[in-house]
Amino acid sequence: MKKTILLILLTISITSCKSQEEIDFKVGYLPNYNYTLTQKQISENNVKYIASDEILQNLKNNGIENPTITKDTSLLKSVSKTGKLKGNEFPIDIELLESNNPSLTKGTKFFGKSVDGKTKIDSIYSSTMTEEKKKTLLPAMESMMNQIKYPNRKIKVGESFEQKNPMSMPIADVTIEMEINSIYTLRKVENGIGYFDLDQVYTIKSATKDYEMELDGIGKGQIDYDIEKEFFTKFYLEMEMNLKTELEVFSIELQTKSITDQTTEIIKASR
């Protein structure tokens, strides 16, 4: 009898250990939840101009320092509330609780829905935003929320998967099209959380035929994934990118560094 009980306990223990070595990975909003996001991003840009003494003096006379160093900290806090599932969709309301972005002020609200896992933004409320600005922001917001699509799959500890996503970066009158190659590696599973390491490589895809450009960059971070709630609860990324462009009369070297620290608190809605 004791041997039988011991065998059963041993079997349960082995099964439990195995279940912690693999997770069902899928990321997205679930109905009837509140998602409170807090994000802080610190960035530093260093722009160096390479040109003749005459051009550099002209830049100086116009108040442009060489190099030009700018630092910025952006803060954002929002709550996304999802409603009851009806068929294949449920409503999503997003409200900005805190923001130091003058274009996205506290109290701004986005109203939409999730349809088959894709977010659709229907309208925007803002006491300061013009109707023209709302029309511009609405598709941009919707595109941003649907830009990254994660695979629905089982992932074992130590296993990695790769994502490639486009990114646009405007510089002066040029828009640079880049590709972000992200590699997610499941490091461990503990207490219902999957801990991922994130490694990124940034490469240039296209810019303009008039200018010669070189770009390289990397990012390293960590992600905490709530297995039950199917969502990231922590996202941390340190990124560094270098860009060099040859213009007609001078060259520009841009170095940008940023740290993104984001947490999401997820609770069941009391509805």
Side-chain angles (χ1 to χ4, degrees):
M1 182 66 178
K2 289 182 179 180
K3 289 184 178 180
T4 303
I5 293 174
L6 183 61
L7 182 61
I8 292 172
L9 291 175
L10 184 61
T11 303
I12 292 172
S13 176
I14 293 172
T15 303
S16 176
C17 289
K18 283 185 176 179
S19 67
Q20 292 298 298
E21 294 177 357
E22 184 179 73
I23 65 172
D24 286 319
F25 182 77
K26 47 186 176 181
V27 182
Y29 287 110
L30 295 176
N32 296 319
Y33 275 94
N34 294 341
Y35 301 79
T36 302
L37 177 146
T38 303
Q39 178 180 285
K40 181 179 182 180
Q41 186 174 60
I42 303 170
S43 60
E44 178 179 326
N45 294 311
N46 187 320
V47 181
K48 182 179 180 181
Y49 301 92
I50 303 170
S52 65
D53 292 341
E54 181 181 356
I55 291 176
L56 294 178
Q57 185 61 47
N58 287 335
L59 291 174
K60 186 176 181 180
N61 294 340
N62 284 281
I64 300 175
E65 296 182 353
N66 189 30
T68 300
I69 300 174
T70 57
K71 298 181 180 181
D72 182 61
T73 299
S74 64
L75 302 171
L76 178 69
K77 186 174 183 179
S78 68
V79 58
S80 301
K81 299 181 178 181
T82 61
K84 185 178 179 181
L85 179 65
K86 294 181 180 179
N88 64 339
E89 66 179 64
F90 54 85
I92 299 178
D93 297 342
I94 304 168
E95 180 180 0
L96 300 188
L97 304 177
E98 297 175 20
S99 173
N100 65 347
N101 185 330
S103 299
L104 294 172
T105 57
K106 176 182 176 180
T108 300
K109 297 179 180 180
F110 301 86
F111 301 97
K113 55 183 174 287
S114 174
V115 183
D116 291 328
K118 186 175 182 180
T119 302
K120 170 72 176 175
I121 304 297
D122 299 318
S123 62
I124 301 173
Y125 165 80
S126 172
S127 59
T128 59
M129 201 178 300
T130 64
E131 290 302 317
E132 183 178 352
K133 177 66 176 177
K134 291 179 184 178
K135 289 180 180 179
T136 303
L137 181 60
L138 193 149
M141 180 74 173
E142 186 174 299
S143 175
M144 181 189 70
M145 295 188 71
N146 293 296
Q147 188 174 28
I148 301 178
K149 296 184 182 299
Y150 294 97
N152 293 344
R153 52 170 290 184
K154 291 184 181 295
I155 300 177
K156 296 179 180 179
V157 172
E159 188 178 358
S160 302
F161 70 91
E162 186 175 352
Q163 290 273 100
K164 292 185 178 181
N165 298 101
M167 177 181 174
S168 298
M169 184 172 70
I171 297 180
D173 60 341
V174 178
T175 298
I176 300 173
E177 300 296 336
M178 299 186 299
E179 183 176 76
I180 304 176
N181 186 17
S182 303
I183 298 176
Y184 301 80
T185 303
L186 181 58
R187 181 164 40 90
K188 69 175 181 177
V189 180
E190 193 172 89
N191 298 324
I193 302 294
Y195 295 89
F196 286 85
D197 288 332
L198 173 61
D199 294 281
Q200 293 185 330
V201 176
Y202 309 95
T203 55
I204 191 169
K205 299 298 290 184
S206 66
T208 172
K209 62 182 180 181
D210 297 327
Y211 307 130
E212 181 179 340
M213 292 190 177
E214 298 177 6
L215 181 146
D216 65 84
I218 59 170
K220 287 188 175 293
Q222 296 85 38
I223 297 173
D224 296 355
Y225 170 74
D226 190 308
I227 300 168
E228 180 186 356
K229 297 183 175 72
E230 301 178 1
F231 209 83
F232 296 139
T233 55
K234 182 174 178 61
F235 179 93
Y236 180 85
L237 178 68
E238 294 185 9
M239 181 270 283
E240 181 173 336
M241 187 163 54
N242 300 289
L243 171 69
K244 183 176 182 180
T245 178
E246 302 279 350
L247 305 178
E248 290 183 3
V249 292
F250 63 92
S251 301
I252 296 176
E253 291 182 355
L254 167 66
Q255 182 184 66
T256 180
K257 298 179 181 180
S258 72
I259 297 175
T260 302
D261 192 356
Q262 176 180 302
T263 59
T264 303
E265 181 186 16
I266 309 168
I267 59 174
K268 192 75 174 176
S270 55
R271 296 182 181 179

